[in-house]
Amino acid sequence: MRSKRSGGGWAAIWYTLRKARSVGLLRMWRAMRSKNTCKTCALGMGGQMGGMVNEAGRFPEVCKKSVQAMAADLQGAVNARFFEEVSLEMMRGLTSRELESAGRLVQPMYAGELDSHYRAISWEEAIERIVKKLKKTQAERVFGYMSGRSSNEAGFLMQLLMRMMGTNNISNCSYYCHQASGVGLADVTGSGTATVTLEDLEHADLVFVIGANPASNHPRFMRTLMDVKRRGGRVVVMNPMVETGLVNFRVPSDMRSLFFGTDIADEYLQVN
């Protein structure tokens, strides 16, 4: 198998189409065209302009990571036999990808202390169990943890519930997974978060990409780097491993880049 010389391109397009086809092309099209944000980075999905439109109003702009996340949400319910055949011990050996592809949870599941399998219970029983547990738990021992992909309304209700419980112990997975980078950035730059915006980069002549791989994890950023290069700017990448997409990337929504590729890194420093 020949090694790839570019990231993105036709391979990204075929992957996107395969993912969309797995849940139905029309269903995926309707979901991606809704007024929404990207499920993985909150950018590049058009907001009130409708999906697949980026901040600059370009169409079609869609990230394969967003399609991947949307496909997981659009898939059917998990087969009822799954929890009968797969024990808790067996589930511990499955990867996150295997668990996600098993299907969506559409009803509460419960496993007691001596149970070897999950079993479905009614919403009434689930709520009753939760209420009893919360009433018996002291406020300082309560911690609210929610998905970063939840809606603003769900987040608002969650923090209200925590306040009514008498605690401010609340977080979500987005904040939690960025705590390490927040501490590191605060030590280096004095800020635990970004100090620039995408609009700033539209005027930059030099961009450093340090310890990141946007070609795989944040493809939306690759168009910005392509624009930097086209207006004569330079890009310096610092990464111990050579990421193919940071050497050359084919932006699927740009015909020139798709067919001929875009050289990204002017300097690629493999820090030891």
Side-chain angles (χ1 to χ4, degrees), residues 12 20 34 49 56 59 69 83 94 96 104 152 157 179 183-184 188 212 222 244 247-249 258 268-269 271-272:
S34 64
M49 291 186 289
F59 174 89
F83 292 106
L94 297 177
S96 57
R104 291 183 301 109
N152 287 336
L157 289 174
Q179 291 231 285
V183 172
V188 174
M222 298 310 294
T244 302
V247 176
N248 188 282
F249 194 84
L258 176 61
Y268 204 116
L269 309 178
V271 181
N272 187 337

Side-chain angles (χ1 to χ4, degrees), residues 120-180:
I121 60 175
S122 67
W123 286 100
E124 290 76 13
E125 181 183 351
I127 292 173
E128 184 180 349
R129 284 180 176 275
I130 292 170
V131 170
K132 284 183 178 179
K133 193 71 173 179
L134 287 176
K135 285 183 175 180
K136 290 194 295 185
T137 305
Q138 294 178 327
E140 59 268 24
R141 297 183 61 83
V142 174
F143 175 66
Y145 184 72
M146 61 187 297
S147 170
R149 280 166 53 182
S150 300
S151 65
N152 287 336
E153 291 80 7
F156 178 72
L157 289 174
M158 182 70 163
Q159 60 89 20
L160 277 183
L161 174 62
M162 290 298 101
R163 292 185 186 200
M164 291 175 65
M165 291 288 298
T167 180
N168 61 355
N169 296 330
I170 183 170
S171 188
N172 66 46
C173 64
S174 297
Y175 182 80
Y176 185 74
C177 76
H178 282 289
Q179 291 231 285

Side-chain angles (χ1 to χ4, degrees), residues 2-256:
R2 292 193 307 174
S3 60
K4 290 187 175 294
R5 298 183 178 180
S6 297
W10 293 105
I13 293 175
W14 302 142
Y15 174 84
T16 299
L17 290 175
R18 286 199 309 272
K19 271 294 176 184
R21 187 180 178 185
S22 68
V23 295
L25 292 172
L26 184 58
R27 290 184 70 206
M28 179 63 77
W29 170 260
R30 288 172 176 168
M32 296 300 289
R33 286 294 289 146
S34 64
K35 295 179 179 180
N36 209 334
T37 57
C38 175
K39 285 179 175 291
T40 53
C41 74
L43 282 172
M45 284 301 295
Q48 292 303 310
M49 291 186 289
M52 298 171 68
V53 180
N54 73 1
E55 306 79 30
R58 296 192 189 96
F59 174 89
E61 289 286 342
V62 59
C63 163
K64 65 180 183 184
K65 301 285 284 187
S66 184
V67 172
Q68 182 180 355
M70 190 69 79
D73 287 350
L74 290 176
Q75 67 180 324
V78 61
N79 191 303
R81 294 194 305 272
F82 177 84
F83 292 106
E84 296 175 4
E85 299 171 354
V86 182
S87 66
L88 295 173
E89 187 63 34
M90 292 170 65
M91 290 178 68
R92 293 188 182 98
L94 297 177
T95 65
S96 57
R97 181 178 181 180
E98 290 171 329
L99 287 169
E100 183 179 72
S101 62
R104 291 183 301 109
L105 291 176
V106 295
Q107 60 190 121
M109 307 302 298
Y110 175 77
E113 292 183 7
L114 301 178
D115 291 341
S116 60
H117 292 68
Y118 277 114
R119 61 180 174 85
I121 60 175
S122 67
W123 286 100
E124 290 76 13
E125 181 183 351
I127 292 173
E128 184 180 349
R129 284 180 176 275
I130 292 170
V131 170
K132 284 183 178 179
K133 193 71 173 179
L134 287 176
K135 285 183 175 180
K136 290 194 295 185
T137 305
Q138 294 178 327
E140 59 268 24
R141 297 183 61 83
V142 174
F143 175 66
Y145 184 72
M146 61 187 297
S147 170
R149 280 166 53 182
S150 300
S151 65
N152 287 336
E153 291 80 7
F156 178 72
L157 289 174
M158 182 70 163
Q159 60 89 20
L160 277 183
L161 174 62
M162 290 298 101
R163 292 185 186 200
M164 291 175 65
M165 291 288 298
T167 180
N168 61 355
N169 296 330
I170 183 170
S171 188
N172 66 46
C173 64
S174 297
Y175 182 80
Y176 185 74
C177 76
H178 282 289
Q179 291 231 285
S181 61
V183 172
L185 284 170
D187 287 343
V188 174
T189 67
S191 171
T193 185
T195 58
V196 296
T197 66
L198 280 175
E199 291 180 347
D200 294 330
L201 295 175
E202 293 174 3
H203 308 284
D205 298 318
L206 176 62
V207 176
F208 286 86
V209 181
I210 305 173
N213 183 18
S216 291
N217 298 317
H218 301 285
R220 165 65 185 89
F221 190 55
M222 298 310 294
R223 173 173 271 279
T224 297
L225 293 181
M226 179 192 74
D227 291 338
V228 169
K229 295 302 298 287
R230 285 187 178 176
R231 64 170 181 268
R234 294 173 65 81
V235 175
V236 177
V237 176
M238 300 175 68
N239 192 326
M241 184 172 71
V242 175
E243 302 282 1
T244 302
L246 292 180
V247 176
N248 188 282
F249 194 84
R250 297 174 184 263
V251 179
S253 60
D254 185 273
M255 290 297 104
R256 178 175 149 197

